[in-house]
């Protein structure tokens, strides 16, 4: 059994982010999906695909006019680089903005997911990686997801 995890191997989220950043496979992307979630975090945590989240009784992807999933390729990501000084990996994406989002469904959460095949894949092949509270009431204006400068995910090593 390992007593530590080396920074380059911290978590699968870091692995999948790195795959997109490395363009391996060629059509891999991160997908930013917004939900109106009524199911518990414990229920959502157990889902394995975006399709499984959408199949839950009280959770659905929002459908407001002006909303569309954000698809982030290798050129949209900050270069993958473990921080050996601080024993961590921070995964960074730019703030995401949706323009002129019509009122209607309230937004409660945002999911950052991994799609290994953006050209032919389906929601049953998209792996949800991280889930973030994102309470927004669309009113026709722009909506910006403000990503912290440290990133949307931090993997750390403990000794």
């Amino acid at each position: 059994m390992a007593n530590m995890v080396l920074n380059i191997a911290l978590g699968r989220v870091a692995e999948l982010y790195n795959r997109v950043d490395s363009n391996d496979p060629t059509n891999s992307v991160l997908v930013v999906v917004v939900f109106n979630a009524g199911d518990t975090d414990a229920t959502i945590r157990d889902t394995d695909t975006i399709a499984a989240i959408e199949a839950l009784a009280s959770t659905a992807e929002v459908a407001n006019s002006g909303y569309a999933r954000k698809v982030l390729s290798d050129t949209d990501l900050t270069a993958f680089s473990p921080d050996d000084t601080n024993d961590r990996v921070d995964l960074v994406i730019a703030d995401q903005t949706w323009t002129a989002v019509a009122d209607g469904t309230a937004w409660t959460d945002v999911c950052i997911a991994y799609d290994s095949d953006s050209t032919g894949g389906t929601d049953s092949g998209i792996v949800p990686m991280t889930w973030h509270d994102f309470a927004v009431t669309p009113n026709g204006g722009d909506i910006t997801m403000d990503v912290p400068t440290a990133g949307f995910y931090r993997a750390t090593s403990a000794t």
Side-chain angles (χ1 to χ4, degrees):
M1 181 183 296
N3 291 320
M4 68 175 197
V5 177
L6 281 73
N7 290 333
I8 196 68
L10 290 174
R12 189 153 190 247
V13 173
E15 169 203 352
L16 296 175
Y17 180 98
N18 188 36
R19 292 197 68 159
V20 173
D21 188 43
S22 300
N23 208 20
D24 172 36
T26 301
N27 297 321
S28 62
V29 295
L30 295 183
V31 183
V32 180
V33 187
V34 178
F35 288 94
N36 178 286
D39 292 284
T40 66
D41 285 351
T43 298
I44 294 166
R45 180 181 293 126
D46 291 339
T47 59
D48 296 330
T49 66
I50 293 297
I53 294 172
E54 293 170 338
L56 294 173
S58 300
T59 298
E61 183 173 3
V62 300
N64 307 64
S65 176
Y67 165 76
R69 293 179 181 182
K70 299 291 184 174
V71 177
L72 309 176
S73 70
D74 58 317
T75 59
D76 300 310
L77 305 183
T78 299
F80 180 85
S81 178
D83 178 346
D84 294 327
T85 302
N86 295 302
D87 301 324
R88 65 185 184 217
V89 172
D90 291 330
L91 305 181
V92 180
I93 60 173
D95 293 350
Q96 302 297 306
T97 300
W98 291 268
T99 304
V101 179
D103 60 357
T105 304
W107 298 14
T108 63
D109 299 274
V110 64
C111 177
I112 299 176
Y114 170 77
D115 184 354
S116 65
D117 183 8
S118 62
T119 62
T122 64
D123 286 352
S124 61
I126 301 176
V127 177
M129 298 188 312
T130 60
W131 189 266
H132 310 267
D133 291 339
F134 191 58
V136 177
T137 303
N139 62 7
D142 295 353
I143 297 175
T144 299
M145 180 181 85
D146 185 19
V147 180
T149 56
F152 72 93
Y153 179 81
R154 172 175 283 171
T156 61
S157 174
T159 57

